[in-house]
Structure formats: C-alpha cells, structure tokens
Amino acid sequence: MADLRSLLKAGDAGNRRRVLQALMIRGGNQTDVAKYAGIAAATAGNILNTLEGERVVRRQASGREQQVSLQPLTGVAVGIELGFQRTSVVARRVDSPHLAPVGRQDDVGARHGVQAWSNAVFAAVTGLAEELGESLDDMATVGLAVPGAVDPRSGLLTPPVFPLWRDQPEPRAELERLLRDKARPGTLRGELRVVMDNDGSLGALAESVHCHPDAEILLWIKGSTGVGGGLVVGGQVIRGGSGSAAEIGHIVVDPDGDYCQCGGRGCLETLIGANTLIRNVRSGLGQLPVAAQPTDLYQIADKARAGNQVCLRVLREAAFHLGLVLGNVCNVLNPSLVLLGGALGSAHDLILADCRSAIDRTALAAVRLDASRPELVGPGDPEAKHPRFRLEPSRLPDAIARGALILGIQGAGFAENR
C-alpha cells in the first residue's frame, strides 16, 4: 500500500503534489481535479496518467466522464475545531470519499484551559484513528480551526490577540508539541506539522468544496460565542492581508455601545454574540430559578420553539441586527450565496425571515434578487432563471472541522516552507 508522505515528496514537487491533494480533498473527474489543483486540465491529465501507471490512482467510467480516485493509501487526515466552549474533531482515511469522515465532539473548549482542550483533542484523535482501523501513528495531516484571525503568511494568530489566547500557549504550537511528545521515532507523526486558520474561513471552505462548488461568491457566517465569517471567491478562500477578511462580527453597529474584546465599541458581536443573548434572555426570565434558565444558544432556540416568547424575541432581534449588517456587506461583496452557521444558524427556522427582512432594508435590490421571492422578481423577469442571491442555513455537519481537515491536506508537504 502506498505511503502518503513519500508520494507527496516524490516526482514533481509542485503539480504532482497538487493533484494528489486535490484527489484527497474531493476527487471527481479530470476537470474537477484540475480545478482543485489550480492547474491546466492537460497538465492534470498527464500527471493522472503517470499516477495511474504507478497504481496510485484508478479511473472508473461514469457517464461521459471518467471518475478518478485514489487507490488504497496509508494515512489519516484530521480536522479540529477548537471553539471557546467546545471542540469538534473529524477524521477520515485520505483515500476515502470526501463526505465520509467520522467525528467526535466534546464540551471542552479553549476557555477551559490548554491542558483540558489538548487532552480532549488527543483522546478524540486517538479514538477516531482506531474507529477507522488505523493507529495514531498513521495520522498524516492535521488542520486546526480557531476563533481568531490568523496571518496567512506566518500561520500565527494576528495581533491584537484576544485576551483568551494571550493567557494560553499558541494553539498550533501546543498541538504540535503534544503530537511530537506522543510520537514514536520513525513514524509520520514525528515530522507532522499542524496547519491553522480562522474558523469562519474554514467553514466557508468546507461549504464551497462539499456543497456549493459552483457558488461564485460565498459568504459563510458563524454566530456563536463570537460572530465571524468566511469568504470564498471562485473556490478560493479570501483571507485578506492579515487574515482578517470577513470579520463581520467587528463591524460597528453602535459607536456608543458596549465595549468589545477586540478593543472596539458597539461591534455586532456585542449585540448578537451568545453571551449577550444569554444575558438578555436571563434578564427577561428573571423570575425563573437559575436551573431553569438557558445556558447556551441551543437551549434558547429549544425554548423558543416550545413557545417561550422571551427567547423568541431575543433571537428575532439578533437576526434583525445581523440582517442589517449583512445587507451592507452584500452591497460591498455582492455574494451569490450567504450561509448562516454556528449555534445561531441552528435556529434558522426561527430567524431567517427576520434576517431577510433586515437585509431588504439595507441591501440594494440589485444584490438581493432571489427567484424564490416573487416580491423581488416580477413575472417574466430573466432573473427568475438566474437568481443572484440566496440566504440559507449551513446544513453541513461539523463544517468548521471539515474545513480544517481540508486545510490540513492543502498544507501537507509544505513544512519546509514554514
């Protein structure tokens, strides 16, 4: 059985590696592989012919196209979402279908301290490797998603670092140290490098690769403890010069509002972040015992569905504030698709209508045309066949962790350039 690390280092260190990574990320036909590898279709075809001769890939007829996939290959790809409140880890063999990872979640996050979250991650990775019929020594790529801006050049958190991270070891370095300490000499983990990026960017990446590969401009919103976003244009993540692109949570809504941990004041996050919404609900439910009051956004949504008017009002107002900001963002980016994820996205059945209503207030009609909404597209309008804008919930489970898994594969073999 072929070995991932040796394959990535063999032959053409550029295009050959890109083709292998494209096959591990998604696969598909030759055109798909060329797209995700970022090279010409003819170049991809030549490399695939070579890899087929080496019995690294196989082609199978599927209609008019030939689907290309990897032969059995040693290696496990891992994606980790390190949130403030919890962690999520997904893993799959690098030669398995891209939508077939196994996953584990733990209610331990960055706020619980580095020892707690690193132990939780290590236990999850170990368990998932065993579930896949592999061992920890077969771990080949690791991607890490964090709730903070990451400099795309250095791979480090971008200053000013939020207070939570100032008091803890740098998360990528801590995870590498843990894996190094646990590695046996001569295993893949002995030379493994962790690749880190912002959680919003990786949520957007996963949605683009797995669910919406044809979306020209995709904006993914995460509404949880913090409020973040990710932007994908033409299949490529747009990170910005310092890794701070799509940070919509720090758009100022009220210049005289509450102070934000970013150092600003009146940011969107101060209005719709989980801690604010929980505080607002508790203020309205003050007569109830503490044990009966919600402690997270998921519980708020459950109570709202059960008829609690305080919880419903808090969520609807949050959705309206978000929509006002999104409308302005849409005027700048003109996205074809906006996806709402995170804990707030799980309440999409309660909030999308209010969010759309607010978008209508601030977005130009030209950027919010939607064929599914007859009030915006008249009879016979050519836009009815080609809607420019959709606002939908993110339905991809573990989107951020899956994006981290893709990131790990994209970064495989590039440790020497760090």
Side-chain angles (χ1 to χ4, degrees):
M1 186 180 295
D3 172 83
L4 170 64
R5 187 68 61 172
S6 62
L7 283 175
L8 289 173
K9 291 182 176 180
D12 183 337
N15 290 338
R16 179 186 173 98
R17 179 192 291 130
R18 293 186 184 98
V19 167
L20 286 166
Q21 289 167 326
L23 288 167
M24 287 185 282
I25 289 170
R26 184 179 173 89
N29 57 41
Q30 181 173 310
T31 302
D32 295 329
V33 172
K35 173 185 174 181
Y36 284 102
I39 60 178
T43 303
N46 291 334
I47 294 172
L48 288 172
N49 288 338
T50 300
L51 292 173
E52 187 177 24
E54 297 172 0
R55 298 186 178 181
V56 174
V57 305
R58 57 175 173 258
R59 286 184 166 102
Q60 293 176 305
S62 177
R64 296 182 180 180
E65 298 280 358
Q66 283 190 326
Q67 297 297 306
V68 187
S69 59
L70 289 164
Q71 296 279 14
L73 185 65
T74 299
V76 174
V78 176
I80 301 162
E81 177 192 358
L82 172 58
F84 285 109
Q85 307 288 350
R86 54 178 56 87
T87 56
S88 178
V89 182
V90 297
R92 64 173 170 85
R93 290 174 53 94
V94 293
D95 57 5
S96 69
H98 68 283
L99 279 175
V102 293
R104 295 192 179 186
Q105 292 75 41
D106 198 307
D107 288 330
V108 174
R111 74 180 185 89
H112 297 93
V114 63
Q115 184 172 0
W117 72 253
S118 62
N119 286 341
V121 166
F122 186 76
V125 170
T126 302
L128 291 175
E130 293 175 353
E131 190 174 335
L132 292 168
E134 304 284 350
S135 73
L136 202 59
D137 295 326
D138 296 313
M139 189 164 46
T141 66
V142 180
L144 174 65
V146 294
V150 176
D151 189 318
R153 295 162 297 183
S154 67
L156 301 174
L157 293 167
T158 299
V161 177
F162 289 161
L164 173 68
W165 299 117
R166 291 191 214 122
D167 301 330
Q168 298 190 25
E170 199 273 327
R172 185 186 71 177
E174 180 60 24
L175 194 54
E176 285 185 351
R177 182 199 63 77
L178 178 66
L179 296 174
R180 217 171 27 243
D181 289 349
K182 301 289 186 179
R184 290 189 298 108
T187 64
L188 286 177
R189 287 189 292 124
E191 54 185 275
L192 194 64
R193 295 294 180 268
V194 175
V195 191
M196 183 173 73
D197 203 354
N198 169 259
D199 54 4
S201 293
L202 295 180
L205 174 63
E207 285 281 5
S208 174
V209 169
H210 293 321
C211 303
H212 305 282
D214 297 325
E216 180 183 359
I217 302 178
L218 183 154
L219 179 64
W220 191 85
I221 305 300
K222 177 193 176 186
S224 293
T225 302
V227 179
L231 179 63
V232 174
V233 178
Q236 300 297 313
V237 177
I238 305 301
R239 295 178 169 88
S242 62
S244 298
E247 285 285 356
I248 74 159
H250 299 287
I251 291 177
V252 175
V253 178
D254 179 6
D256 298 318
D258 291 341
Y259 292 98
C260 180
Q261 63 176 343
C262 74
R265 189 171 184 182
C267 298
L268 177 65
E269 187 171 297
T270 67
L271 292 174
I272 72 168
N275 292 337
T276 298
L277 300 188
I278 292 168
R279 184 173 66 247
N280 292 343
V281 166
R282 288 183 171 181
S283 175
L285 299 177
Q287 74 278 13
L288 293 180
V290 174
Q293 296 186 7
T295 59
D296 60 32
L297 286 179
Y298 298 101
Q299 293 179 15
I300 292 176
D302 287 342
K303 287 183 177 295
R305 292 187 187 99
N308 187 291
Q309 294 302 302
V310 172
C311 292
L312 181 60
R313 177 66 179 268
V314 166
L315 287 175
R316 292 186 63 184
E317 288 191 357
F320 192 77
H321 285 302
L322 174 61
L324 291 176
V325 169
L326 280 178
N328 285 301
V329 172
C330 288
N331 288 338
V332 177
L333 299 177
N334 196 9
S336 49
L337 178 62
V338 176
L339 296 170
L340 182 57
L344 195 58
S346 70
H348 60 86
D349 54 317
L350 304 170
I351 66 174
L352 276 191
D354 291 280
C355 195
R356 287 192 179 107
S357 176
I359 289 174
D360 289 347
R361 288 198 178 195
T362 53
L364 292 167
V367 305
R368 56 183 169 85
L369 286 175
D370 184 343
S372 68
R373 303 176 65 195
E375 73 274 19
L376 295 180
V377 182
D381 193 317
E383 290 298 338
K385 296 181 180 179
H386 304 286
R388 295 181 183 173
F389 174 79
R390 287 181 293 152
L391 173 67
E392 299 178 358
S394 172
R395 291 190 170 92
L396 180 65
D398 300 315
I400 293 174
R402 289 180 189 239
L405 187 151
I406 295 171
L407 176 76
I409 294 174
Q410 288 178 334
F414 286 94
E416 66 272 15
N417 294 329
R418 287 249 310 259

